[in-house]
């Protein structure tokens, strides 16, 4: 009980350096569409959670998608947002597909564009060269586009989705 | 309710490729000790969770540490184990400190030694060059050693801990 109370208090004690990124926080539910020259286009349902990492100056990011209208899991990933001053941020991500991403991003109001500075792969993972993540929040609506250069294809749109704060 | 039932069923439906890594699964609670030439030695409490990622052939890994005997959070990280045949595995990790790691590891019975093939850092993160993670399970006891070459120091022991299945 005491530990639980302490944990609630800690969650309210958000680090001030997170202020420029707080517009991203919440549980977001929605749907999206994926396409790429090497695959069939597909529709997906999605849930994203972005919350402060206790009292530390980072946000914890988790995401899962399912084939649209089903409970069939598609992708999931996990990472952390790190503020870098008042108008920039970093994003680090690990994926069960064996990929890690590190991004730097510029914050413009309630939008942020992350471009990969590192995309690394485990030996058995697919080749991904570049990733770009454009995220915008308007009220209780979050939209994003994910562009990717992978498996020999040029950098291009791969995913776009619209989610609402739940 | 139906979705919840379906989810329970899925969790029992472990992918057969995970068999060589299942000895790692569980919730592990214990304590450890950290040291490095550039810091003061410290003691920590730790909780590790390693569970199958639904029916997919990966394990989800999360970890948190606290200063020994307190609720003061120290480190946390998140990642995925990926089997690579019957005696090898991959490990990808993201850390809120702005570091990503990708490892390949050899499995020997109920032990696995992971050596980094990639350690990447966000621009504001500390420099880490090499990481090695030696994990062994004996009954309900998990021990690990983490060796690291970082901030200009040679590769050496940084963390060692003993945890028990809770």
């Amino acid at each position: 009980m005491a530990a639980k109370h302490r944990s609630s208090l800690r969650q309210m004690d958000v680090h001030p350096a997170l202020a420029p990124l707080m517009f991203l926080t919440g549980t977001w539910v929605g749907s999206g569409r994926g396409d790429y020259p090497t695959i069939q286009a597909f529709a997906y349902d999605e849930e994203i959670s972005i919350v402060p990492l206790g009292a530390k100056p980072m946000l914890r990011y988790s995401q899962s998608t399912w084939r649209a209208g089903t409970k069939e899991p598609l992708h999931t990933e996990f990472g952390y947002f790190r503020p870098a001053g008042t108008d920039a941020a970093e994003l680090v991500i690990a994926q069960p597909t064996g990929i890690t991403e590190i991004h730097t991003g510029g914050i413009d109001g309630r939008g942020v564009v992350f471009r990969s500075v590192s995309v690394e792969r485990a030996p058995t993972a697919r080749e991904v060269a570049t990733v770009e993540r454009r995220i915008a929040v308007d009220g209780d609506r979050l939209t994003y586009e994910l562009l990717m250069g992978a498996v020999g294809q040029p950098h291009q749109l791969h995913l776009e989705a619209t989610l609402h704060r739940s």
Side-chain angles (χ1 to χ4, degrees), chain A:
Chain A
M1 200 63 168
K4 190 164 186 165
H5 182 61
R6 187 190 290 238
S7 163
S8 306
L9 284 177
R10 185 173 294 124
Q11 279 169 25
M12 289 185 293
D13 186 19
V14 171
H15 195 289
L18 288 177
L21 287 171
M22 285 303 289
F23 70 93
L24 291 171
T25 59
T27 300
W28 304 91
V29 176
S31 59
R33 184 179 177 283
D35 201 358
Y36 211 67
T38 55
I39 60 169
Q40 288 258 326
F42 62 101
Y44 58 89
D45 299 327
E46 182 165 30
E47 183 168 330
I48 295 175
S49 167
I50 302 174
V51 295
L53 184 65
K56 297 205 176 192
M58 300 98 173
L59 300 176
R60 185 176 55 199
Y61 160 66
S62 63
Q63 179 264 23
S64 293
T65 58
W66 298 265
R67 194 169 302 283
T70 77
K71 296 285 172 194
E72 180 192 342
L74 293 178
H75 183 72
T76 187
E77 61 189 27
F78 196 97
Y80 303 94
F81 293 86
R82 295 161 50 85
T86 55
D87 60 357
E90 298 169 344
L91 173 59
V92 300
I93 293 176
Q95 302 184 21
T97 50
I99 302 286
T100 60
E101 297 176 23
I102 297 181
H103 293 259
T104 55
I107 305 170
D108 181 9
R110 292 169 71 83
V112 56
V113 175
F114 286 103
R115 292 191 176 88
S116 56
V117 292
S118 153
V119 182
E120 296 288 317
R121 56 189 286 227
T124 67
R126 201 168 313 170
E127 181 262 331
V128 179
T130 56
V131 180
E132 181 177 344
R133 294 167 179 260
R134 303 174 180 163
I135 312 171
V137 172
D138 180 5
D140 282 338
R141 192 179 67 144
L142 181 151
T143 55
Y144 73 80
E145 295 176 327
L146 187 150
L147 294 85
M148 183 173 74
V151 292
Q153 299 292 320
H155 189 76
Q156 63 194 279
L157 187 64
H158 171 43
L159 305 172
E160 50 188 338
T162 300
L163 299 94
H164 291 86
R165 206 186 294 269
S166 80

